[in-house]
Amino acid sequence: MIRDAELADVAAIHAMIRELAEYEKVPQEARATREQLREALFGERPAAFAHIAETADGEVVGFAVWFLNFSTWRGVHGIYLEDLYVRPAARGGGYGKALLTELARICVRRGYGRLEWSVLDWNEPAIDFYRSVGAVSMDEWTVNRLTDDALRELGGAQ
């Protein structure tokens, strides 16, 4: 079952973010605290949204965290999927597809023009899964990122 995340899910989401960082071989990058997640997802002005995948007996086995983006070309919002994670023991059970399907439904219902995300180029199981649902790789685009010292330097904080 897929449902909107609730405040009580913050601990499970936090734990799965750490599991995802381990899987992606960058555990040191997962610095978000439970308090930060609580504020981002359930604060006065939420900056992100989350859905939970759970088994029939209520065990949380996956999540999707997303936020709105905007296409200047299409003139409408879209969803950027920041993280999609299903615990290894639950993979192959349809939870990842169900999470993506729910986000696609939100896009269709709200008139959003895109559902997009990034995937590590070595993550063949994920790439194969995304292709199976019709996703197209944007190979001609390269993600750029500023963080830490470079971000502070450009932002004038150094």
Side-chain angles (χ1 to χ4, degrees):
M1 177 176 95
I2 305 303
R3 62 175 174 78
D4 289 346
E6 299 170 356
L7 188 57
D9 295 314
V10 169
I13 293 169
H14 186 256
M16 288 186 287
I17 289 170
R18 296 217 174 283
E19 292 171 27
L20 175 59
E22 288 283 340
Y23 175 76
E24 292 184 351
K25 303 175 179 102
V26 288
Q28 72 282 359
E29 295 295 321
R31 296 183 252 175
T33 65
R34 286 183 186 179
E35 293 74 27
Q36 287 172 314
L37 291 173
R38 188 177 300 112
E39 183 63 26
L41 296 171
F42 302 104
E44 187 177 317
R45 294 175 43 191
F49 307 92
H51 283 78
I52 295 294
E54 59 186 10
T55 63
D57 63 357
E59 178 188 359
V60 174
V61 294
F63 76 99
V65 170
W66 57 276
F67 55 88
L68 294 180
N69 59 16
F70 183 79
S71 170
T72 56
W73 290 18
R74 292 182 175 228
V76 295
H77 283 291
I79 286 177
Y80 186 83
L81 174 59
E82 178 65 23
D83 284 323
L84 175 83
Y85 180 73
V86 175
R87 289 188 158 140
R91 291 182 187 156
Y95 298 105
K97 185 172 184 181
L99 285 162
L100 276 179
T101 298
E102 180 59 22
L103 297 184
R105 285 183 184 136
I106 292 168
C107 287
V108 170
R109 190 170 52 244
R110 296 181 185 177
Y112 296 165
R114 294 180 178 156
L115 170 56
E116 54 192 0
W117 60 90
S118 297
V119 62
L120 290 165
D121 60 5
W122 56 260
N123 193 347
E124 287 299 324
I127 292 167
D128 291 344
F129 164 64
Y130 295 142
R131 286 185 182 141
S132 78
V133 298
V136 177
S137 294
M138 305 296 291
D139 295 331
E140 66 277 12
W141 292 88
T142 301
V143 175
N144 290 271
R145 178 176 292 159
L146 283 170
T147 61
D148 303 325
D149 290 342
L151 179 62
R152 286 186 289 276
E153 184 176 330
L154 185 61
Q158 288 220 357

